[in-house]
Amino acid sequence: QVQLVESGGGLVQTGGSLRLSCAASGSVYSISAMNWYRQAPGKQREWVATITSGRSTTYADSVKGRFTISRDNAKSTVYLQMNSLKPEDTAVYYCGVVVPSTASVYWGQGTQVTVSS
């Protein structure tokens, strides 16, 4: 079992920045890649960024160049630095991981990010 707790969301103006954190606990040794997703009101959850255990990163086109994903394995924590925020970035942001050995998917409770115009 893996537990994920996100933090760092809030209200920010267009062009501002926020840093999200997601702390993992439980069977953290089983985690490989860590991911951020987001879900805006009335829309499906969409993938935002991934960081592998080797710290390779990939991003959705909509956030490339503005968001940076990183991880601290000693703290079992993944971060999402969000710069140049836009109103369309408004969503609940979720941390998600897949445990390869069991194919189990774990999600955090989400953290709200609101960007005002």
Side-chain angles (χ1 to χ4, degrees):
Q1 294 282 345
V2 174
Q3 295 78 43
L4 302 169
V5 178
E6 300 99 335
S7 61
L11 173 64
V12 65
Q13 291 186 333
T14 296
S17 298
L18 283 173
R19 188 193 194 206
L20 306 183
S21 299
C22 171
S25 60
S27 302
V28 296
Y29 59 87
S30 62
I31 296 174
S32 179
M34 301 183 79
N35 311 280
W36 285 99
Y37 287 76
R38 65 186 182 186
Q39 187 166 17
K43 295 187 177 181
Q44 290 188 330
R45 190 171 298 188
E46 65 172 357
W47 169 75
V48 175
T50 295
I51 185 166
T52 68
S53 56
R55 292 186 169 82
S56 295
T57 59
T58 51
Y59 299 91
D61 287 343
S62 58
V63 306
K64 200 173 294 183
R66 300 187 298 122
F67 290 11
T68 302
I69 188 171
S70 60
R71 65 192 288 172
D72 184 335
N73 290 332
K75 297 181 179 179
S76 300
T77 299
V78 62
Y79 304 96
L80 187 67
Q81 177 67 45
M82 306 186 295
N83 299 327
S84 302
L85 283 162
K86 306 174 181 180
E88 51 264 43
D89 294 319
T90 295
V92 178
Y93 283 71
Y94 297 90
C95 175
V97 301
V98 176
V99 174
S101 60
T102 63
S104 299
V105 180
Y106 297 94
W107 296 100
Q109 83 288 352
T111 185
Q112 176 70 48
V113 171
T114 302
V115 184
S116 62
S117 58

